[in-house]
Amino acid sequence: MNPQERQQIAQALADWFHANGRDYPWRRTTDPWAVLVSEVMLQQTTIPTVLGRYGEWMRRFPTPQALAAATEEEALRSWEGLGYYRRVRSLRAAAQAIVERHGGVFPTEAADIRALPGIGDYTAGAVLSFAFNKPAPLVDANVARVFARLCNSRTPVDSPAGRREQWCLAEQMLHRTDPRAYNSALMELGQLVCTAGAPQCLLCPVRAWCRAKDKNPAELPVKLPKKQTTALEHWDILHVTKRGILLELQPEGKRHAGLWRLPRRSQEEVQGLEHIADQAYSVTRYKVTRHLHRATPGTRPRKGESYIPLHGLEQIPMASPDRKIINTLIPGSHAR
């Protein structure tokens, strides 16, 4: 693909986005903090879910200073239901860095943005282009799929060589004068037209330049073999007394660090207890099955476990599967 073709593709994409781009709250602002929040939320969370939470979250934490001043517990509780809680921890750390290093003013230089905690190449590129309209490359799954098909690339996009290839192309393809629209178009094209299952090639604004159009674009991108899904089982107890419900605070290093969960016991320890529910859910490549049993009246808290009043459940950060099953088993527990 020669430089002239790259420029033509970039302009065609920018023009297409100006005519067809969808309206989202984070596209109505150039506030870099609002852009950063949207990008962090959209990582591994669907657009409809983010649309339901973004406005409320931004009203609660409209500036880096607001989140930097919040406790970790408050930040985790605000993120509940969005999953992957390390994201909000990183976002809070970035807010604190903006306050401490930049006096609360969001940095405008690429090096300063990349130096913020939790900010990788993609997020830096998104903030630079969407907030400041600076030409900065970005590659996510949608962009990688578009590039792989445009170039008819057979290099696995999730391999080191594939990632290098994608980022190199992203740098070469940049629209220098309208990067905000161009990068938005790349992502939008992958979401709406150049989709994973059935690409709508006849609607594609860059079809004329696509090297996969006369082959089978649905075969691309090539990916490495998927890691096998691992099945996990664990056994928990439900213990409700006048003091409240017994919960366990997950320590640092755990997947749900800082969140409250139903206390876990060994399979042997729940033998003979009343089995009251099963719950299945997925976390990344794990499929988890929980077996919940009713504790005996004489159950005592262990290290890290505490009684939480039922009326106080709304204020504490809790892992989503736990909150769901408690809401189901204890109506009116105010666990929402």
Side-chain angles (χ1 to χ4, degrees):
M1 193 177 296
N2 61 48
Q4 183 180 7
E5 288 177 316
R6 292 198 293 268
Q7 291 177 8
Q8 291 171 335
I9 291 170
Q11 189 60 52
L13 284 169
D15 292 343
W16 175 79
F17 181 78
H18 284 301
N20 300 281
R22 289 177 292 182
D23 179 32
Y24 294 132
W26 47 87
R27 286 181 174 168
R28 302 175 201 149
T29 180
T30 56
D31 174 11
W33 173 247
V35 171
L36 176 61
V37 169
S38 71
E39 290 300 326
V40 173
M41 280 192 174
L42 287 164
Q43 294 167 13
Q44 300 171 302
T45 301
T46 64
I47 290 176
T49 299
V50 173
L51 282 171
R53 298 289 299 279
Y54 177 76
E56 176 188 355
W57 204 91
M58 284 301 300
R59 284 189 291 274
R60 183 171 182 180
F61 302 114
T63 62
Q65 291 92 327
L67 183 58
T71 65
E72 181 173 280
E73 185 177 66
E74 290 171 334
L76 290 171
R77 181 67 183 93
S78 74
W79 203 260
E80 196 171 307
L82 293 170
Y84 299 95
Y85 292 89
R86 70 178 182 277
R87 293 180 298 168
V88 73
R89 288 192 178 92
S90 294
L91 191 57
R92 179 169 170 263
Q96 291 171 330
I98 292 169
V99 170
E100 293 167 4
R101 301 175 195 170
H102 305 283
V105 178
F106 203 105
T108 60
E109 296 302 318
D112 292 330
I113 293 173
R114 288 192 176 92
L116 295 174
I119 305 298
D121 290 336
Y122 166 81
T123 305
V127 172
L128 286 163
S129 56
F130 300 149
F132 302 115
N133 204 29
K134 293 184 177 182
L138 54 75
V139 177
D140 69 355
N142 289 304
V143 174
R145 183 167 59 253
V146 170
F147 282 163
R149 289 172 178 170
L150 267 175
C151 300
N152 194 30
S153 173
R154 303 288 160 167
T155 307
V157 292
D158 49 354
S159 67
R163 284 189 282 270
R164 287 193 297 271
E165 181 180 286
Q166 295 290 317
W167 279 97
C168 180
L169 188 57
E171 181 66 51
Q172 293 173 349
M173 293 284 293
L174 275 174
H175 197 300
R176 300 293 168 178
T177 58
D178 198 2
R180 181 183 292 124
Y182 166 74
N183 276 342
S184 297
L186 271 178
M187 299 169 67
E188 193 103 323
L189 189 70
Q191 293 166 4
L192 297 180
V193 179
C194 196
T195 56
Q200 302 180 65
C201 296
L202 294 179
L203 301 179
C204 180
V206 293
R207 183 173 182 270
W209 297 277
C210 182
R211 296 177 182 175
K213 65 180 180 181
D214 297 323
K215 301 176 180 62
N216 185 2
E219 293 178 354
L220 297 172
V222 175
K223 294 185 178 180
L224 296 172
K226 287 185 177 180
K227 293 181 179 179
Q228 189 173 6
T229 299
T230 302
L232 297 177
E233 285 186 285
H234 59 80
W235 293 263
D236 300 327
I237 58 169
L238 179 70
H239 189 46
V240 183
T241 73
K242 292 181 180 180
R243 287 178 286 177
I245 183 171
L246 187 63
L247 295 176
E248 178 185 6
L249 181 62
Q250 298 298 289
E252 290 298 322
K254 291 280 188 179
R255 178 182 295 277
H256 292 100
L259 303 182
W260 292 89
R261 304 212 66 177
L262 288 162
R264 187 171 300 183
R265 297 293 186 262
S266 69
Q267 186 174 8
E268 291 73 21
E269 288 176 302
V270 301
Q271 292 297 321
L273 299 182
E274 179 190 357
H275 174 247
I276 55 177
D278 289 321
Q279 183 185 35
Y281 57 94
S282 297
V283 182
T284 58
R285 61 185 182 90
Y286 297 97
K287 287 190 175 181
V288 183
T289 302
R290 156 188 276 151
H291 307 289
L292 188 61
H293 294 72
R294 194 180 306 280
T296 62
T299 298
R300 295 290 180 267
R302 295 181 178 178
K303 183 179 179 181
E305 298 177 357
S306 300
Y307 287 101
I308 305 297
L310 294 182
H311 62 78
L313 292 178
E314 191 172 358
Q315 282 73 49
I316 65 169
M318 189 183 299
S320 294
D322 297 70
R323 195 175 292 279
K324 288 178 182 176
I325 200 167
I326 290 173
N327 282 338
T328 300
L329 295 173
I330 314 175
S333 63
H334 304 288
R336 295 169 184 79

